[in-house]
Amino acid sequence: MTDIWNKLQDNHDTARERPILSLFEDPDRFDDFSAGADGVFLDFSKTNIDREALSLLIDLASEQGVFTYRDAMFRGDRINATENRAVLHTALRDGGSNPLSVDGEDVRPAVAETLQAMEQFARDIRSGHIKTAQGGAFTDVINIGIGGSDLGPAMAVQALAPYHNGPRCHFVSNVDGAQISDTLRMLDPRSTLVIIASKTFTTIETMTNADTAITWLHAALGDRASDHLAAVSTARDKTADMGIAPDRVFGFSDWVGGRYSLWGPVGLAIMLAIGPEGFHDFLSGAHAMDEHFQTAPAPENVPLLMGLVGIWHRNICDYPTRAILPYDQRLARLPAYLQQLDMESNGKRVAINGDTLARASGPVVWGEPGTNGQHAFYQLLHQGTDIVPSEFLIASTSHEPELRAHHDLLKANCLAQSEALMIGRTFEQAQKIATTLGFEGDAQRIQAQHRTFPGNRPSMTLVYPQLTPFTLGQIIALYEHRVFVEGAIWGINSFDQWGVELGKELANALVPMIKGASANSKDPSTQGLLRLLSKP
């Protein structure tokens, strides 16, 4: 371990039992342990990070090459070492004119051309210029994809519901036939556009669902079914074989990873829902966070600070999980989106150089909308045996001014939960409550124990003015860069995902066995399960 890691551990060991609340004896605590970026404000003062620890964490980022690695990413260097690729999803939202080269080729013209093609297609669908096979307007869109081709656009479309002014968007990802059956049952194929999102057009779950959707279209439209298809793919030979017109196929380069792809053609459903102008605002918000990440000094750099807090909790405090708690119902799918972003990126046990990591990497990421969680799993957050660092998100203003009382209660709940996690309730305070309730003797002690909250549980709060396309872009980019910071400090490649491959390979081999082929090559457990699943 380097000297900085040792000093961080010593700091934590010394202050392990220190009440977080005591840090607020410093009158500047809140101001100095918070930072803002174009209206998005991060408060991390309710953590046990003091001035010495924060300084050491910033030094750690420098020592581990975070800033050099960051500049290399934005420059277009091949930082995805295991796949020998650049990592340039940021170029999809840049909009700049200065050349940005990969292998000597400026990628900006192709990015701009694709975005313009998306915009034209979206305008034509939304205006009714592109008509259905029967001459009407498209009322509904089904996006068929999985992973990055589903989680991002599905999350963003739900988040931006107040801005919907186009066709209704639906999402199918699960190969479980129940999902596509339920979706198709409520739609009319004569007014539905199907977008098939698969870079290679070989993703088995997506293509299985696509075949079912196409069969559904054919039953209603016959040979005109292809008029109701579009694709997000680079496999133009395969899309052509499916009858999809070339001007309805939108591709993206291999320097855009799946979980980072909603900024480009994978975001077509978002653009159809909120319009090209709204989509541009979405890109602009992300680009503003990119600029902030590149230029803000370390003590004011929101993605850097969020990443450093994550390192502190994961490696120094040894907390294995983190909770994402949006107090914003329209961000209900954000925890699932961030789960993929974080766990697929940083769920690694091997460093870039192939060595086994010396310390823990990515935590388990999970969560739900806040007030629902209060009546579900907050019991564990407050009184469980494990400490779970919590991340609260809350807007200053809602989209429903006529329901201000709702939003006021929402804000009160958000602030109350982070406060309660920090201050807790002592046994003595709980005793007074038990006494007031009429308990005496040992019964009073037992009741007081149950009502005691240990407190001193850390949290961060992210405040934003209102959930707009611009703000959503900021939030997603913020979390992207937070994942980047943590991965760089751990020395891992946050941009590959070899861990998803083995299960896919084994599933392909198991399909014939599910249908009755010999399973002698499988282990006894798998053979036994196959026998059970083969029964009608």
Side-chain angles (χ1 to χ4, degrees):
M1 296 181 72
T2 67
D3 188 48
I4 295 176
W5 284 107
N6 287 329
K7 288 179 178 178
L8 282 166
Q9 196 64 59
D10 288 344
N11 176 285
H12 173 64
D13 291 344
T14 300
R16 186 187 301 270
E17 302 302 324
R18 174 182 60 196
I20 295 172
L21 188 61
S22 69
L23 294 170
F24 288 90
E25 293 171 5
D26 177 355
D28 297 322
R29 171 75 182 176
F30 177 77
D31 291 335
D32 293 348
F33 288 78
S34 60
D38 296 294
V40 172
F41 184 87
L42 174 70
D43 168 31
F44 63 102
S45 63
K46 289 191 184 77
T47 67
N48 219 333
I49 297 173
D50 58 22
R51 293 185 184 278
E52 178 191 24
L54 181 57
S55 178
L56 287 169
L57 286 165
I58 291 172
D59 290 344
L60 178 66
S62 181
E63 181 184 79
Q64 296 297 101
V66 170
F67 307 112
T68 301
Y69 197 49
R70 172 199 64 191
D71 295 343
M73 177 179 72
F74 281 98
R75 194 169 55 236
D77 293 0
R78 293 178 176 268
I79 66 169
N80 180 350
T82 60
E83 296 177 302
N84 194 29
R85 293 175 181 174
V87 176
L88 274 177
H89 52 278
T90 54
L92 299 178
R93 59 212 192 199
D94 187 337
S97 57
N98 294 329
L100 180 59
S101 296
V102 175
D103 295 335
E105 180 181 352
D106 183 8
V107 303
R108 292 199 191 278
V111 170
E113 181 181 352
T114 299
L115 183 59
Q116 290 168 6
M118 289 172 58
E119 291 172 359
Q120 188 60 57
F121 180 71
R123 288 195 178 96
D124 288 346
I125 290 289
R126 287 161 54 85
S127 68
H129 180 74
I130 292 181
K131 300 185 183 303
T132 67
Q134 297 182 339
F138 286 98
T139 61
D140 293 273
V141 174
I142 304 174
N143 185 94
I144 298 178
I146 198 167
S149 297
D150 169 78
L151 283 166
M155 178 272 296
V157 167
Q158 180 176 352
L160 299 175
Y163 299 89
H164 289 186
N165 52 16
R168 296 179 293 269
C169 291
H170 315 268
F171 295 87
V172 171
S173 59
N174 202 322
V175 76
D176 183 344
Q179 187 180 32
I180 194 163
S181 176
D182 290 348
T183 302
L184 299 182
R185 187 181 299 119
M186 65 181 180
L187 299 177
D188 184 348
R190 296 167 299 179
S191 60
T192 300
L193 175 72
V194 175
I195 301 172
I196 305 168
S198 172
K199 194 171 189 177
T200 62
F201 246 49
T202 58
T203 309
I204 189 166
E205 299 91 344
T206 298
M207 300 318 298
T208 300
N209 282 325
D211 288 342
T212 298
I214 290 170
T215 299
W216 176 70
L217 292 173
H218 266 290
L221 305 171
D223 293 340
R224 299 292 301 276
S226 59
D227 292 354
H228 288 234
L229 296 176
V232 175
S233 178
T234 56
R236 289 186 172 269
D237 55 338
K238 293 183 175 64
T239 60
D241 290 343
M242 197 173 280
I244 304 175
D247 60 353
R248 296 189 182 193
V249 179
F250 307 92
F252 53 98
S253 300
D254 62 7
W255 37 257
V256 179
R259 57 192 173 277
Y260 299 91
S261 61
L262 79 169
W263 313 107
V266 167
L268 182 60
I270 307 171
M271 187 182 285
L272 288 166
I274 67 172
E277 294 76 15
F279 193 78
H280 269 282
D281 289 343
F282 177 61
L283 298 182
S284 295
H287 179 59
M289 188 58 70
D290 294 341
E291 292 282 298
H292 172 83
F293 182 46
Q294 292 179 86
T295 62
E300 303 168 18
N301 194 303
V302 178
L304 175 69
L305 293 169
M306 186 177 272
L308 295 179
V309 173
I311 293 292
W312 171 264
H313 287 150
R314 184 69 182 103
N315 296 114
I316 307 305
C317 302
D318 198 27
Y319 300 147
T321 179
R322 65 173 59 129
I324 308 297
L325 309 170
Y327 277 71
D328 196 321
Q329 182 59 32
R330 292 189 176 107
L331 287 179
R333 294 292 292 160
L334 181 67
Y337 175 78
L338 296 180
Q339 189 176 71
Q340 185 204 20
L341 175 65
D342 203 318
M343 295 175 69
E344 192 167 81
S345 296
N346 288 342
K348 312 286 173 63
R349 56 182 292 277
V350 175
I352 289 176
N353 64 5
D355 292 344
T356 301
L357 293 178
R359 58 185 57 85
S361 61
V364 175
V365 178
W366 59 282
E368 282 286 333
T371 51
N372 294 50
Q374 289 173 205
H375 295 268
F377 54 81
Y378 276 39
Q379 169 64 43
L380 184 146
L381 298 184
H382 286 289
Q383 292 185 310
T385 54
D386 287 312
I387 292 177
V388 180
S390 299
E391 301 179 10
F392 297 90
L393 297 93
I394 184 74
S396 298
T397 306
S398 75
H399 287 280
E400 294 77 31
E402 72 283 4
L403 299 175
R404 179 172 177 175
H406 287 252
H407 199 63
D408 287 347
L409 183 58
L410 187 74
K411 290 190 282 190
N413 273 274
C414 180
L415 298 182
Q417 292 298 325
S418 66
E419 181 185 19
L421 286 167
M422 178 177 69
I423 66 174
R425 177 191 286 155
T426 67
F427 177 73
E428 291 72 23
Q429 291 170 327
Q431 272 188 314
K432 291 180 181 178
I433 295 172
T435 300
T436 301
L437 294 172
F439 291 101
E440 298 178 350
D442 197 48
Q444 181 200 74
R445 178 191 64 82
I446 293 171
Q447 288 293 327
Q449 289 283 22
H450 284 286
R451 288 171 166 79
T452 297
F453 290 67
N456 223 33
R457 302 194 167 201
S459 67
M460 294 191 289
T461 302
L462 192 70
V463 178
Y464 45 95
Q466 190 179 47
L467 190 58
T468 65
F470 185 90
T471 302
L472 182 63
Q474 289 177 290
I475 292 170
I476 298 172
L478 166 59
Y479 274 96
E480 287 179 350
H481 296 320
R482 184 262 194 90
V483 167
F484 174 91
V485 168
E486 293 177 350
I489 290 175
W490 288 320
I492 62 181
N493 180 5
S494 298
F495 302 102
D496 62 11
Q497 56 279 333
W498 298 109
V500 306
E501 298 300 323
L502 179 59
K504 289 182 180 180
E505 295 170 12
L506 295 176
N508 289 335
L510 276 163
V511 170
M513 300 176 193
I514 293 288
K515 297 178 179 179
S518 172
N520 291 337
S521 62
K522 293 298 178 180
D523 63 89
S525 171
T526 302
Q527 291 184 41
L529 292 170
L530 282 167
R531 287 193 297 272
L532 286 171
L533 290 171
S534 66
K535 295 179 180 178

